[in-house]
Amino acid sequence: MQARLILEDGTECVGTAFGATTETLGEVVFNTGLTGYQEVLSDPSYCGQIVTMTYPLIGNYGINRDDFEAVRPFIHGFVVREHCDMPSNWRNTQTLDELLKSYDIPGIAGVDTRMLTRKIRYRGTMKGMITTSDAPLMELVSSLRASSLMTDQVSRVSTKNVFSCPGTGHRVVLVDFGSKHGILRELAKRGCDVVVVPYHVTADEIRRLQPDGILLSNGPGDPKDVPQAIRMIREILGEYPLFGICLGHQLFALACGADTEKMKFGHRGGNHPVKELTSGRTYITSQNHSYAVKEESIKGTELEITHTALNDGTVEGLRNVKKQAFSVQYHPEAAPGPYDSGYLFDQFIELIETAKEEKNHAKTR
């Protein structure tokens, strides 16, 4: 069946439908990863977006049980150059087409994704739709321009209830703004006793859990659409060691008085170089975000920049030394991506242990 990808600037890409045949609307973005399409599909940070994969062949190793980063995909559409309907891999349990059909997500194949990516880089991200309708192009474009993108993505992907992943180590409260399973895996490796809480958790509710540290997860959308989280972070900052990842990094910055802005086309992929300023080392990182912290807004706050992106100079890491808190814009849990930055979880554990030692020392005075 023929499918059409329509952009709000009037661009039309005609291809072949796969997955569900329902019409979908979303922000059209691109991901530069060569592998890891299953993890991309199941990353909650893509909620509300139509994802274009720049690598030409997608679906060739199928879908397996173990590589999901959430219990289900949240993307609104999938755009590929070539869709493989006969995957080959010893872990394969279903095809990409079957997965998308089961979650009512439309896909379109046969698109010139190189052209589409260049257009997004030039124009910036745009609203788009995937449809099998044969309505006139300008009729669809007018409808698209008049439509609004969702702003409640975090509420859609966050857990609804508190739950625990027991461990024998430090208790970490993971605030779920759309957390990836990779974060839980990294905390579990370090023996942490993890309590996962919804995005709208209050400071008092966190205090009652008696954590040793707090981790602010990744998630979709504009951080300013989650004002209750900013208030919670501002209230609890300094009481416990805190680590923010991606959206958690942006919320941490806003809570400390800095500002954020939307990027032209964002960072999405597993090959983004980031420089750690203290050591001068460069790490290859996995990234997925549309917003960034404004560098000039950091002046006058208690924050200092710890990491920067080598491609465009944007802020990639922050630290508040007075409040025992730090954050990074990228994904140290990878999935998909390199594992260069896993040491940040060790730094978080060290911060917790230092805070405990200081607290015990204060008690014995």
Side-chain angles (χ1 to χ4, degrees):
M1 180 184 293
Q2 179 178 284
R4 303 158 73 188
L5 171 66
I6 312 292
L7 302 183
E8 62 179 305
D9 70 346
T11 299
E12 177 183 29
C13 300
V14 179
T16 304
F18 71 101
T21 55
T22 52
E23 187 170 285
T24 191
L25 168 74
E27 182 182 41
V28 182
V29 301
F30 65 86
N31 183 290
T32 59
L34 303 184
T35 61
Y37 56 81
Q38 181 175 337
E39 293 93 330
V40 168
L41 283 166
S42 57
D43 181 350
S45 296
Y46 283 112
C47 180
Q49 295 180 326
I50 297 173
V51 181
T52 302
M53 299 299 293
T54 61
Y55 189 72
L57 179 60
I58 302 297
N60 53 312
Y61 54 85
I63 301 293
N64 68 76
R65 185 196 67 177
D66 301 323
D67 288 344
F68 285 100
E69 283 300 308
V71 293
R72 56 153 297 162
F74 289 98
I75 67 166
H76 277 203
F78 208 40
V79 183
V80 302
R81 174 62 180 165
E82 183 180 346
H83 158 242
C84 177
D85 57 5
M86 295 182 65
S88 176
N89 185 276
W90 66 275
R91 294 196 301 159
N92 172 47
T93 57
Q94 64 179 149
T95 66
L96 174 59
D97 177 64
E98 290 169 340
L99 176 72
L100 295 185
K101 278 190 171 81
S102 65
Y103 289 103
D104 201 30
I105 300 169
I108 179 172
V111 172
D112 185 347
T113 52
R114 183 183 175 117
M115 174 278 295
L116 183 59
T117 299
R118 291 183 63 164
K119 182 177 286 290
I120 294 170
R121 284 181 59 89
Y122 177 74
R123 270 290 308 269
T125 54
M126 290 176 274
K127 286 186 289 186
M129 69 164 61
I130 297 175
T131 181
T132 56
S133 168
D134 58 1
L137 174 61
M138 290 317 298
E139 180 182 317
L140 293 172
V141 171
S142 296
S143 172
L144 181 60
R145 289 173 178 169
S147 62
S148 299
L149 295 173
M150 64 169 58
T151 58
D152 61 344
Q153 299 99 309
V154 169
S155 66
R156 293 171 182 251
V157 301
S158 175
T159 181
K160 302 297 185 287
N161 302 296
V162 177
F163 67 92
S164 63
C165 300
T168 57
H170 305 297
R171 172 167 288 184
V172 174
V173 167
L174 172 58
V175 186
D176 178 17
F177 301 110
S179 179
K180 293 166 64 182
H181 289 170
I183 293 175
L184 284 173
R185 286 193 293 268
E186 291 297 328
L187 293 174
K189 281 181 191 176
R190 292 157 178 83
C192 293
D193 178 31
V194 183
V195 181
V196 183
V197 297
Y199 76 99
H200 51 66
V201 67
T202 66
D204 283 340
E205 287 170 338
I206 289 178
R207 292 184 185 110
R208 283 197 288 270
L209 294 171
Q210 302 181 52
D212 298 313
I214 300 170
L215 200 156
L216 309 175
S217 85
N218 62 290
D222 185 344
K224 294 175 183 176
D225 289 337
V226 202
Q228 61 271 62
I230 299 170
R231 290 193 296 269
M232 177 274 291
I233 296 165
R234 188 177 293 135
E235 184 177 342
I236 210 162
L237 201 58
E239 294 185 26
Y240 310 97
L242 182 144
F243 178 24
I245 295 174
C246 201
L247 182 65
H249 157 82
Q250 297 160 13
L251 292 167
F252 167 61
L254 290 169
C256 291
D259 196 11
T260 56
E261 62 184 345
K262 187 163 188 182
M263 306 171 75
K264 186 175 182 180
F265 51 82
H267 294 168
R268 296 173 185 86
N271 58 350
H272 290 263
V274 167
K275 183 177 182 179
E276 184 181 56
L277 299 184
T278 53
S279 67
R281 290 187 62 180
T282 295
Y283 295 90
I284 303 302
T285 68
S286 174
Q287 303 204 9
N288 176 17
H289 58 98
S290 298
Y291 292 81
V293 177
K294 290 184 181 180
E295 183 175 356
E296 61 272 19
S297 73
I298 295 171
K299 296 175 183 177
T301 72
E302 294 181 344
L303 297 171
E304 61 181 43
I305 299 173
T306 58
H307 299 75
T308 58
L310 291 181
N311 286 340
D312 60 11
T314 51
V315 176
E316 290 283 349
L318 293 169
R319 176 171 54 202
N320 186 325
V321 181
K322 294 181 180 180
K323 302 291 175 59
Q324 293 183 313
F326 70 103
S327 64
V328 290
Q329 179 62 81
Y330 52 95
H331 288 265
E333 81 284 355
Y339 295 101
D340 299 30
S341 302
Y343 72 94
L344 291 168
F345 288 96
D346 295 324
Q347 287 188 0
F348 179 46
I349 299 302
E350 290 169 7
L351 193 62
I352 289 174
E353 291 173 349
T354 299
K356 278 187 167 183
E357 290 174 5
E358 291 176 354
K359 190 177 292 185
N360 291 334
H361 181 67
K363 286 180 179 179
T364 56
R365 283 179 181 176

